[in-house]
Amino acid sequence: MDKKLFQFPKDFVWGAATASYQIEGGWNEDGKGESIWDRFSHTPGKVQDGDTGDAACDHYHRWADDLNLMKELDLKAYRLSISWPRILPAGRGGVNETGIDFYSRMIDRLLELNIEPYITLYHWDLPQKLQDEGGWASRSVVDAFVEYTDAISNALGDRVKNWITLNEPWVSAFIGYREGRHAPGHTDMHEALAASHHLLLAHGLSVPVIRRNSPNANVGITLNLSPQVPASPSVADRVQATWADGYINRWFLDPLVGRGYPQDMVNDYRDEMEFVKTGDMDVMSVPVDFIGVNYYTRNIARSEKISEAENAPCTVIRGDEITEMDWEVYPEGLYKTLGRLYFDYDFPAIYVTENGAAFVDEVGADGEVDDPARLSYIKRHLEQVHRAVEAGIPVKGYFAWSLMDNFEWGFGYSKRFGLIHVNYETQKRTFKSSAKWYRQAIQRNAVD
Ligand code: FCB
């Protein structure tokens, strides 16, 4: 039997993504200021094995070679993030021209190679100086973000036409300020809620600034989204799933489309939310050109209030294919998420701005890195993207996470997500078999 070929639309964008702190290194070079991730990773006990992003993939020095690797991969697009403290070392006031030049040269070279840049303005490396005044929990940081947006979009806006204001504000706010597993490592729900509000406000205020500095640009925001599925049809599990959906998905989606914060969550949080000022909700619901979604897995919601004895056995069972992050492989969740963004939230265009998997990789005796599990993960998720396109959902592109192995936040270098393997001792890069497969998919504009 012939294998089915999933052919993508002609203008489909095939890309890969990275983030500044995870790959650059050069943490204190050429006038760069300290970020909250520098501070956090330098604090003993915060990151696994004491790893830091001080050197990371040394992309700060090797970027030109890395861009050549992207070309070898035949990437059509590259999603990178800008390090705010490289541009404004103190968070505001005083632009570091060397920082601007670094990205400006990279953009020129990308365009020369015919690789379309997609820039994320904030992928979690807040200038430490701004954290000293409260970080995202403080409203004053919003203006600083707008100042930073203005500086960088003014410098690059003539050439960069795709902009993402924030990466996963849920993670910034709730993992950074409530759960404490990410910088700045706080555990305060009120701060987390204030942070989420200020992040969305910063997004809303920056969109028009980018549009002014970068005519005809596409401007959007990236959220981490995942379906929250009740483990059983019991009321308790359904309530739990609705709560989890509110916590992770709706808290950001609803205000972005002008529906305000979900009332069930506002009631549940019992927070005064005095940080919400008149007009804020209008600002954050400024229309975007696209929504970016980072999708990795689903969550099966099980209420603590329930037990098998209460006669609610699980009807939704976690699959047995699990990544190194302990995430269930569930490609269909991507299709469902894309459908929701279009049919329920009406976003005009959607990009999968991240999707990928961590598995243990080894360089074989022959020097090859064979990673069939990752290859299969990416392939099956792309099939779901294709299914969404066929259903009329405007998915415009897909960015694999990640171009290369890198610093995986609290897990340090212990989790490898790359299409390209990185030896952290020698900085040698090796294409994994998933990378070679991905190149073929790009060249054929199809997956089989
Ligand atoms: C996402 C982040 C990205 C990477 C992947 C695995 O939440 O945006 O930087 O860490 O997870």
Side-chain angles (χ1 to χ4, degrees):
M1 212 179 76
D2 277 351
K3 278 202 285 178
K4 185 162 182 230
L5 190 68
F6 299 94
Q7 192 71 49
F8 281 74
K10 235 184 23 268
D11 52 356
F12 191 77
V13 176
W14 297 86
T18 64
S20 47
Y21 187 73
Q22 294 179 278
I23 64 165
E24 284 180 4
W27 78 281
N28 58 359
E29 286 182 48
D30 299 333
K32 175 181 165 293
E34 188 190 11
S35 83
I36 56 173
W37 269 96
D38 294 318
R39 178 69 62 94
F40 191 72
S41 69
H42 293 160
T43 308
K46 295 297 186 191
V47 175
Q48 192 174 324
D49 304 323
D51 287 345
T52 73
D54 291 4
C57 305
D58 196 33
H59 177 72
Y60 187 66
H61 300 111
R62 294 166 194 262
W63 65 270
D65 292 341
D66 288 337
L67 263 52
N68 289 336
L69 292 178
M70 292 178 210
K71 190 65 202 168
E72 216 178 304
L73 203 50
D74 234 339
L75 289 186
K76 301 288 172 248
Y78 173 46
R79 174 178 174 235
L80 68 147
S81 83
I82 305 275
S83 161
W84 182 350
R86 242 186 238 297
I87 306 303
L88 294 162
R92 60 161 73 84
V95 169
N96 174 29
E97 291 299 336
T98 323
I100 300 251
D101 284 353
F102 169 64
Y103 294 108
S104 189
R105 280 182 288 136
M106 186 155 23
I107 297 304
D108 284 342
R109 180 66 181 144
L110 282 167
L111 294 174
E112 229 171 76
L113 293 171
N114 246 317
I115 301 173
E116 189 67 24
Y118 283 65
I119 284 193
T120 308
L121 291 173
Y122 185 70
H123 201 130
W124 308 352
D125 40 2
L126 185 74
Q128 178 62 38
K129 278 271 192 291
L130 297 178
Q131 188 57 49
D132 297 343
E133 55 182 80
W136 286 111
S138 157
R139 195 173 175 103
S140 60
V141 167
V142 173
D143 285 345
F145 183 75
V146 175
E147 185 181 330
Y148 156 60
T149 300
D150 189 35
I152 194 71
S153 60
N154 191 29
L156 308 179
D158 54 337
R159 289 155 291 156
V160 174
K161 293 299 169 190
N162 299 282
W163 298 86
I164 296 163
T165 53
L166 305 176
N167 179 68
E168 303 188 354
W170 179 82
V171 173
S172 302
F174 291 98
I175 306 294
Y177 291 85
R178 180 197 180 209
E179 299 188 16
R181 288 184 283 121
H182 278 189
H186 295 191
T187 50
D188 181 320
M189 184 59 165
H190 180 69
E191 275 196 21
L193 290 171
S196 68
H197 186 72
H198 296 139
L199 281 154
L200 283 170
L201 197 59
H203 155 78
L205 288 170
S206 317
V207 171
V209 173
I210 301 169
R211 293 210 168 111
R212 193 183 64 224
N213 288 337
S214 183
N216 306 318
N218 286 311
V219 189
I221 179 171
T222 281
L223 303 181
N224 54 298
L225 300 170
S226 62
Q228 306 295 319
V229 189
S232 80
S234 68
V235 171
D237 283 349
R238 281 187 289 154
V239 167
Q240 178 62 31
T242 302
W243 185 89
D245 184 50
Y247 180 47
I248 293 174
N249 301 324
R250 288 182 288 124
W251 191 255
F252 293 88
L253 284 169
D254 283 13
L256 282 175
V257 299
R259 296 180 192 167
Y261 290 117
Q263 194 57 46
D264 58 331
M265 302 312 289
V266 173
N267 296 345
D268 184 81
Y269 291 154
R270 292 165 198 261
D271 190 282
E272 265 184 47
M273 293 182 57
E274 80 297 338
F275 44 77
V276 181
K277 308 285 185 223
T278 314
D280 285 1
M281 303 315 287
D282 290 336
V283 168
M284 57 180 73
S285 59
V286 57
V288 287
D289 300 301
F290 67 89
I291 181 92
V293 52
N294 293 350
Y295 175 82
Y296 290 93
T297 188
R298 70 170 168 181
N299 176 48
I300 300 173
R302 184 65 162 166
S303 165
E304 282 170 12
K305 296 190 189 116
I306 213 158
S307 69
E308 305 264 328
E310 288 167 293
N311 199 21
C314 290
T315 48
V316 177
I317 311 294
R318 196 175 192 235
D320 48 19
E321 202 182 338
I322 308 289
T323 73
E324 270 294 292
M325 298 295 279
D326 199 26
W327 294 343
E328 180 192 9
V329 179
Y330 186 66
E332 209 175 331
L334 177 54
Y335 173 73
K336 291 179 180 166
T337 301
L338 294 169
R340 184 183 194 189
L341 290 172
Y342 185 55
F343 296 120
D344 189 3
Y345 283 97
D346 255 336
F347 285 106
I350 310 170
Y351 288 89
V352 178
T353 41
E354 285 181 27
N355 175 244
F359 290 107
V360 176
D361 298 309
E362 267 151 36
V363 185
D366 54 0
E368 301 282 323
V369 183
D370 198 24
D371 61 339
R374 180 175 299 100
L375 188 159
S376 160
Y377 179 102
I378 294 178
K379 174 169 141 61
R380 284 177 290 157
H381 283 78
L382 276 164
E383 285 172 11
Q384 296 294 329
V385 172
H386 184 270
R387 190 178 160 206
V389 171
E390 294 278 282
I393 301 164
V395 193
K396 303 296 182 194
Y398 174 94
F399 292 80
W401 182 270
S402 178
L403 175 72
M404 57 185 154
D405 295 335
N406 57 49
F407 177 85
E408 179 48 34
W409 310 111
F411 296 96
Y413 296 100
S414 68
K415 306 284 185 245
R416 294 180 177 274
F417 273 92
L419 295 168
I420 298 175
H421 181 275
V422 175
N423 175 325
Y424 295 111
E425 260 140 52
T426 60
Q427 292 295 349
K428 181 173 160 49
R429 275 74 159 141
T430 307
F431 275 41
K432 301 180 190 174
S433 42
S434 57
K436 296 177 191 165
W437 175 87
Y438 193 54
R439 169 171 55 200
Q440 195 190 47
I442 298 173
Q443 288 169 347
R444 299 163 74 187
N445 200 34
V447 170
D448 66 9

